[in-house]
Amino acid sequence: MVDTAHRNTDGTGVEGVAGGVGVTALLVAAARALESHRSDSLARDVYAEHFVRAAPASADWPVHPRQVPDGDANPLWGRFARYFGLRTRVLDDFLLRSVRVGGARQVVLVGAGLDARAFRLDWPPGCVVFEIDRKEVLAFKHRVLGGLSATPKAARVPVPMDLRADWADALPRVGFDPAAPSVWLVEGLLFYLPPTAETYLIDTVERLSAGGSALAFEVKLEKDLLEYRDSPLYTATREQIGIDLLDLFDLAPRPDSAGRLTDRGWSTSVHTPFDFTRLHGRGPLPEPNDALAGNRWVFAEKPHTAGGARGA
């Protein structure tokens, strides 16, 4: 589907997060580390700063608010980092609610990156967390977490697959049951995919999801992302850590993935991040020339009976 980073050469996985989209996983990890050290933290991830320090590309990035001289006024390490902290909390809540209330025991992280939820969330007994990502990324994560003697709080099944490969067939081979309810998370991934790849991914999740399954994903709805090239957020990211997000995003018009699921019988809700800022009392609020204006968080549930589903 998408080429996310350089090829690994040394078995440590470092190059898997050293360039292209791979390095954005380190950016999000740094944001989670900053959020974890805040007195008003929305989410805690004790592993995040270790990922940041273990990769040469990010070794000198801040992982504690005291290392950001201008604090929340910094568009990158202030506002953008708070955005990722809020996103982490909201998606943590979604996953735990889906397994505790909805009863699903299979959790699939598509493009898992440096997600440490298998280690840091309190999962009910019997949960299995499948992590799909390239072997280089998973190798890097394994090396860092192994060095910390971290122990997962659920059964964890790494699925070392490039998303361009047939990961849908690989899942059942490692224990995933398409006949049982599942919870899916596609976090910070769809921005980088061509529209056809996004549609394929959503259709694949729909096909593999039994009744009672749930899905959360993030999209951007701007008609022209380049209108925000000079926004403080994108400018600060380019100038402070050398990442041009607009060069990494796929700029083609996006499909209506939420509508596609609705047409197939799922119940869907679409929210702005600012909805949750107001709910929690912390996080980014709208501002002029706002690179977050088009971001949407989509939550979808598939009914237990297929009577209302329609083919697309």
Side-chain angles (χ1 to χ4, degrees):
M1 285 185 179
V2 60
D3 186 10
T4 55
H6 300 300
R7 186 176 182 83
N8 183 55
T9 57
D10 62 2
T12 67
V14 170
E15 289 193 14
V17 292
V21 175
V23 78
T24 65
L26 295 167
L27 168 60
V28 178
R32 291 199 306 268
L34 289 165
E35 183 69 20
S36 298
H37 288 296
R38 294 181 64 106
S39 60
D40 61 349
S41 172
L42 287 172
R44 284 184 52 79
D45 183 347
V46 299
Y47 307 104
E49 63 186 87
H50 297 280
F51 294 132
V52 177
R53 291 290 176 253
S58 57
D60 61 349
W61 292 358
V63 293
H64 195 289
R66 65 169 176 262
Q67 297 169 341
V68 184
D70 45 353
D72 281 355
N74 186 301
L76 171 58
W77 301 123
R79 187 170 188 265
F80 205 18
R82 292 245 69 180
Y83 170 81
F84 289 124
L86 177 67
R87 187 179 77 179
T88 298
R89 168 61 180 274
V90 170
L91 297 179
D92 283 357
D93 288 348
F94 160 78
L95 291 171
L96 290 177
R97 182 173 61 252
S98 296
V99 295
R100 290 173 179 171
V101 178
R105 289 296 180 265
Q106 301 181 119
V107 178
V108 187
L109 309 177
V110 183
L114 302 180
D115 187 318
R117 288 183 171 97
F119 295 83
R120 61 181 184 79
L121 296 185
D122 291 324
W123 300 100
C127 280
V128 181
V129 179
F130 298 89
E131 298 183 3
I132 307 174
D133 214 317
R134 294 174 302 107
K135 63 179 181 180
E136 295 89 349
V137 175
L138 295 176
F140 174 76
K141 178 156 58 173
H142 178 76
R143 179 173 67 85
V144 173
L145 293 173
L148 299 171
S149 299
T151 302
K153 297 181 179 181
R156 175 176 175 253
V157 181
V159 186
M161 297 285 293
D162 191 307
L163 288 173
R164 295 171 297 181
D166 193 1
W167 56 270
D169 282 348
L171 271 177
R173 292 198 297 269
V174 294
F176 177 83
D177 181 4
S182 50
V183 185
W184 300 77
L185 179 59
V186 187
E187 181 181 15
L189 173 64
L190 298 181
F191 311 148
Y192 308 104
L193 302 186
T196 53
E198 176 179 331
T199 297
Y200 173 80
L201 190 152
I202 295 296
D203 285 353
T204 301
V205 171
E206 201 283 328
R207 175 170 59 85
L208 292 176
S209 296
S213 295
L215 163 66
F217 60 95
E218 182 182 25
V219 292
K220 293 184 77 69
L221 298 183
E222 291 98 344
K223 292 182 179 180
D224 184 4
L225 280 169
L226 294 178
E227 289 185 2
Y228 296 95
R229 175 163 286 283
D230 295 326
S231 70
L233 189 152
Y234 289 148
T235 299
T237 305
R238 288 194 302 269
E239 293 179 350
Q240 294 186 42
I241 58 176
I243 299 176
D244 191 333
L245 290 170
L246 290 175
D247 280 351
L248 299 177
F249 292 159
D250 189 287
L251 303 181
R254 307 312 303 175
D256 180 8
S257 294
R260 192 173 182 86
L261 288 169
T262 300
D263 288 344
R264 296 185 174 194
W266 293 59
S267 62
T268 59
S269 60
V270 182
H271 301 270
T272 72
F274 312 127
D275 295 337
F276 291 97
T277 293
R278 298 181 182 103
L279 175 66
H280 290 288
R282 282 163 280 175
L285 287 168
E287 63 179 28
N289 192 22
D290 193 350
L292 299 178
N295 287 43
R296 297 292 185 273
W297 297 344
V298 182
F299 303 89
E301 296 182 356
K302 190 172 187 176
H304 282 279
T305 60
R310 302 191 302 274

